[in-house]
Amino acid sequence: MHSSAVFLTEFGAIILGLGLLGRFAARFRFSPIPLYLLAGLAFGEGGLLPLNTSEEFVATGAEIGVILLLLMLGLEYTASDLVSNLKTQYPAGLVDMAFNAVPGAAMALLLGWGPVAAVVLAGVTWVSSSGVIAKVLGDLGRLGNRETPVILSILVLEDLSMAVYLPIITALLAGTGFAAGGITLAIALGVAGLVLLLAVRYGRYISRFVSNEDPEKLLLVVLGLTLLVAGVAQQLQVSAAVGAFLVGIALSGEVAEGAHNLLAPLRDLFAAVFFVFFGLHTDPSSIPPVLLPALVLAAVTALTKIATGYWAAKRAGISAKGRWRAGGTLVARGEFSIVIAGLAVTAGIEPSLGPLATAYVLILVILGPLAARYTEPVALRLTARLGRSAPRDRTPAEVPEARGEELRESVGGQDTVGRR
């Protein structure tokens, strides 16, 4: 009875504190994610007042939070949208890997950690946080923007790439042979491909099966199906986030709209728990020794992510404002980076890799929402200032194009597209 009372008190205090932090952030019009993370640091390992009784429940809630974030993001798009974006954006995925994995690998080699640690740190710096970015897009009201499908395509390519990367890194860390690693990889790719095929070809049947006029039954079926697919996917070495996302794109029409409305409050609750959980498992005393290389790596890869998003959005024909928004939104790292670093720490390949990865992710998960909000205005202000310092005459062919973009921005404020 006593432990139950302590659990209710701790968890109630966490939820109440998150609500107050969210209200504070809303008052000053910025994302609450950095505040959630700082709260986790304050009450986690080595913090001001560690919480122990509710830790297991918070861990489960955090995992559900990531799954719901990706499910809700998937509900924004149909399977045909996904396939079309993947076909057009795969070059951006290759650029993303080259720009953002190489700095991590180079840092590990410069620190003398060896090739296996280099492959691990490359994954940490490569993959953006789908969970953080999904929350940021919702907080900033950008889910319908023209650049959002470009961002989504890059995130999906990264998540799907993890279906290949995670089995490889697991085999490297365990020192298993080529045959065992190849079997694990084949299973992961097969499961991801099967789920995607079912979503593309039979999505309408899935929507018909899930559809129900009773909100309670619709909520239970959608949530249960999502958790089931995510669990099976994770058991077969495929990301649970990929499974949840694919369930989201498999649902369409009124079912997707109804599920979106019903699940939005649950997403907000469990997503907040996820960010607190991330902070709870970070010991503040482990950060200072690796802070300098983490800061350097964060600065370099923030710029490379902005460059990736800008290039991909430009390739898709997005205006200058949308390009900078796309780049800034991709800066955050999070759940996948921590998972990758955790595998390396468990294997014991390099003691300093875990603290470095933690510091790196903490920097970018706090900087990420700020970059998403302020990259566009700062970049446009700088380019305008540089343009004034080096004026040039426009060619006749540029004038109509510039006037057209000014007219679009003045009428719409932002480039937007319909939800479905």
Side-chain angles (χ1 to χ4, degrees):
M1 180 66 72
H2 175 70
S3 61
S4 176
V6 173
F7 164 75
L8 291 174
T9 302
E10 286 189 356
F11 194 67
I14 291 172
I15 299 301
L16 176 61
L18 292 176
L20 294 176
L21 290 174
R23 291 176 61 179
F24 177 82
R27 182 179 181 85
F28 293 95
R29 300 181 63 83
F30 66 91
S31 173
I33 292 174
L35 298 183
Y36 294 159
L37 288 165
L38 292 176
L41 280 175
F43 296 100
E45 300 174 2
L48 300 175
L49 184 62
L51 302 176
N52 299 316
T53 306
S54 58
E55 182 177 351
E56 185 175 350
F57 186 85
V58 171
T60 304
E63 193 167 356
I64 294 174
V66 175
I67 290 170
L68 288 178
L69 283 169
L70 271 295
L71 169 67
M72 298 292 280
L73 194 59
L75 288 172
E76 296 292 329
Y77 302 93
T78 64
S80 59
D81 292 334
L82 174 66
V83 173
S84 175
N85 286 332
L86 290 178
K87 285 181 178 178
T88 57
Q89 292 299 328
Y90 76 89
L94 297 176
V95 170
D96 178 35
M97 180 178 66
F99 279 13
N100 299 287
V102 171
M107 176 64 75
L109 294 175
L110 287 173
L111 293 173
W113 289 354
V116 176
V119 175
V120 172
L121 197 56
V124 171
T125 59
W126 172 16
V127 184
S128 297
S129 171
S130 300
V132 173
I133 290 171
K135 185 69 167 61
V136 168
L137 288 172
D139 290 341
L140 298 178
R142 294 181 180 175
L143 287 173
N145 282 22
R146 283 191 61 199
E147 74 273 4
T148 299
V150 176
I151 297 169
L152 178 64
S153 297
I154 293 174
L155 294 178
V156 172
L157 285 169
E158 289 179 347
D159 285 346
L160 291 176
S161 298
M162 289 299 100
V164 180
Y165 174 84
L166 289 177
I168 292 175
I169 196 65
T170 302
L172 286 175
L173 293 172
T176 59
F178 177 79
I183 293 172
T184 304
L185 178 59
I187 292 173
L189 290 176
V191 171
L194 177 61
V195 174
L196 183 58
L197 177 65
L198 291 174
V200 172
R201 291 195 174 182
Y202 304 105
R204 62 184 182 276
Y205 299 111
I206 298 174
S207 297
R208 190 179 305 168
F209 167 76
V210 171
S211 179
N212 197 295
E213 295 182 357
D214 187 340
E216 178 185 350
K217 294 182 177 63
L218 178 62
L219 173 63
L220 291 174
V221 172
V222 172
L223 184 59
L225 178 63
T226 302
L227 294 176
L228 176 64
V229 172
V232 171
Q234 187 161 306
Q235 188 70 25
L236 295 173
Q237 305 300 320
V238 182
S239 166
V242 172
F245 178 81
L246 293 175
V247 170
I249 64 159
L251 303 178
S252 59
E254 294 181 0
V255 174
E257 190 69 33
H260 188 281
N261 294 334
L262 290 171
L263 288 168
L266 283 177
R267 174 203 58 190
D268 294 339
L269 169 62
F270 285 106
V273 172
F274 161 70
F275 297 119
V276 170
F277 176 75
F278 184 85
L280 286 174
H281 283 261
T282 302
D283 186 351
S285 65
S286 66
I287 294 177
V290 294
L291 188 58
L292 181 58
L295 283 169
V296 172
L297 199 56
V300 171
T301 54
L303 294 175
T304 55
K305 274 292 182 182
I306 292 173
T308 299
Y310 186 95
W311 182 87
K314 181 179 180 180
R315 182 174 175 273
I318 308 299
S319 68
K321 289 186 176 182
R323 297 172 200 169
W324 290 116
R325 287 195 297 265
T329 303
L330 288 169
V331 166
R333 308 313 200 271
E335 58 275 9
F336 263 133
S337 299
I338 292 300
V339 168
I340 294 166
L343 292 173
V345 171
T346 302
I349 62 164
E350 175 55 50
S352 299
L353 195 151
L356 173 63
T358 300
Y360 169 80
V361 172
L362 277 173
I363 293 167
L364 288 185
V365 84
I366 292 174
L367 179 63
L370 302 176
R373 185 179 183 89
Y374 296 111
T375 295
E376 175 207 340
V378 170
L380 293 178
R381 190 172 301 172
L382 289 175
T383 52
R385 184 173 299 176
L386 292 173
R388 285 196 298 268
S389 63
R392 68 179 182 87
D393 295 330
R394 287 176 173 171
T395 65
E398 290 176 308
V399 174
E401 180 181 351
R403 288 177 179 171
E405 181 162 323
E406 290 170 4
L407 180 60
R408 287 194 299 273
E409 297 294 347
S410 65
V411 172
Q414 290 184 335
D415 297 323
T416 58
V417 293
R419 180 177 172 276
R420 281 188 178 267

